[in-house]
Amino acid sequence: MDLLTRLSESLQGGDADQVAELTRQALAAGLAPKPILDQGLIAGMTVVGDRFKAHEIFLPDVLLAAKAMYAGLDLLRPLLAKAGVATGGRVVIGTVRGDLHDIGKNLVAIMLRGAGLEVIDLGKDVAPERFVAAAQEHGAQVIGMSALLTTTMPVMRQVVDLCRERGLYGKVKLIVGGAPLSAEYAREIGADAYCFDGVNAVDVVKRYLGTA
Ligand code: B1M
């Protein structure tokens, strides 16, 4: 079995030590961080999600898998974020209120920082007011919102509406992402863009800043 398949399987089994060890081995073998992330860690997490949905595993198993994901991610983080030249752009990012999923949002923040952007990470379970206040306080050009639950997606619309109320709409670009999101939903709520992953978010933000 190849290294990345073993990595994926260790993550599925929630074995954080083994995930860290195999991530180190993959790096030592000369593999680039992106395939380790995509074909090892994210591939494993996708299987976990499918098995959770099929009721083959339960919430504690998903929590262990998330912990194992971070064991690998922590090692990849500095490599994924390889020093970019600061572009002067500032992004406020967070997972919306009611939603505790932060792995994808953290990955997007890593990619944006790696591209030289300043990222103000508000964490998870972020209220609309905090997104808007932080954007105003830091003079951000972009607000990035993440949601993994269909039940928390509507919070994004509340952020968009609050931006309209506060006169930020059209001045600050609003980007959204997360597994249940789509370009159509982004349009429907009045967001500027839907981004399917961190690399795509970097492209979109750089386009807005005129640095692509
Ligand atoms: Co939960 N969970 N979870 N979960 N969880 C999902 C999302 C689910 C799809 C599982 C399933 O049923 N198959 C399902 C949602 C169903 C739905 O709403 N349609 C679900 C559920 C139901 C729940 C609970 C309600 C379970 C319960 O309590 N009964 C509960 C909710 C808690 C809450 O938030 N209030 C819950 C809890 C949890 C844990 C805490 C155990 C854990 C999260 C730990 C953590 O994040 N620290 C967890 C996990 C790990 C998952 C799955 C298995 C994996 C999510 C993940 O990290 N993926 C997930 C199933 C799945 O997605 N396949 C599931 C890896 C990550 C790299 O991908 O987050 O998609 P992702 O991010 C991607 C892109 O989406 C994009 O870029 C990222 C990098 O490629 N992206 C952006 C994300 N945000 C972006 C923002 C951008 C741009 C791109 O710009 C701003």
Side-chain angles (χ1 to χ4, degrees), residues 49 53 62 98 100-104 145-146 149-150 177-179 195-197:
K53 195 173 175 185
V62 184
L100 304 177
H101 297 85
D102 64 358
I103 295 173
M145 294 170 264
S146 178
L149 299 171
T150 44
C195 304
F196 53 84
D197 66 8

Side-chain angles (χ1 to χ4, degrees), residues 11-186:
L11 186 142
Q12 292 166 43
D15 188 339
D17 290 343
Q18 183 72 357
V19 165
E21 176 52 32
L22 289 170
T23 303
R24 276 192 210 97
Q25 282 184 28
L27 289 168
L31 290 176
K34 192 71 169 66
I36 300 176
L37 176 67
D38 289 342
Q39 293 159 42
L41 301 179
I42 292 184
M45 196 51 111
T46 304
V47 176
V48 169
D50 291 345
R51 297 189 63 207
F52 179 61
K53 195 173 175 185
H55 308 293
E56 291 168 11
I57 58 171
F58 302 97
L59 206 53
D61 306 303
V62 184
L63 269 172
L64 282 175
K67 203 169 162 225
M69 174 104 187
Y70 274 119
L73 208 52
D74 285 347
L75 295 167
L76 298 182
R77 193 188 304 266
L79 303 166
L80 288 168
K82 305 193 277 318
V85 180
T87 60
R90 205 168 284 158
V91 181
V92 163
I93 194 168
T95 304
V96 298
R97 185 171 58 200
D99 203 320
L100 304 177
H101 297 85
D102 64 358
I103 295 173
K105 180 268 297 169
N106 287 343
L107 262 173
V108 175
I110 289 170
M111 297 305 208
L112 291 170
R113 286 194 177 113
L117 294 149
E118 190 182 331
V119 177
I120 295 109
D121 188 348
L122 303 177
K124 54 196 172 189
D125 192 17
V126 179
E129 178 65 39
R130 278 192 64 213
F131 277 106
V132 176
Q136 285 177 317
E137 183 191 336
H138 297 280
Q141 293 92 341
V142 179
I143 294 178
M145 294 170 264
S146 178
L148 264 287
L149 299 171
T150 44
T151 49
T152 56
M153 286 163 57
V155 178
M156 293 173 160
R157 189 193 290 270
Q158 294 173 20
V159 177
V160 175
D161 290 346
L162 197 56
C163 283
R164 289 187 208 273
E165 252 177 56
R166 303 277 166 88
L168 283 188
Y169 194 74
K171 294 181 186 151
V172 173
K173 294 289 184 187
L174 300 163
I175 65 169
V176 296
L181 273 293
S182 64
E184 194 188 354
Y185 187 75

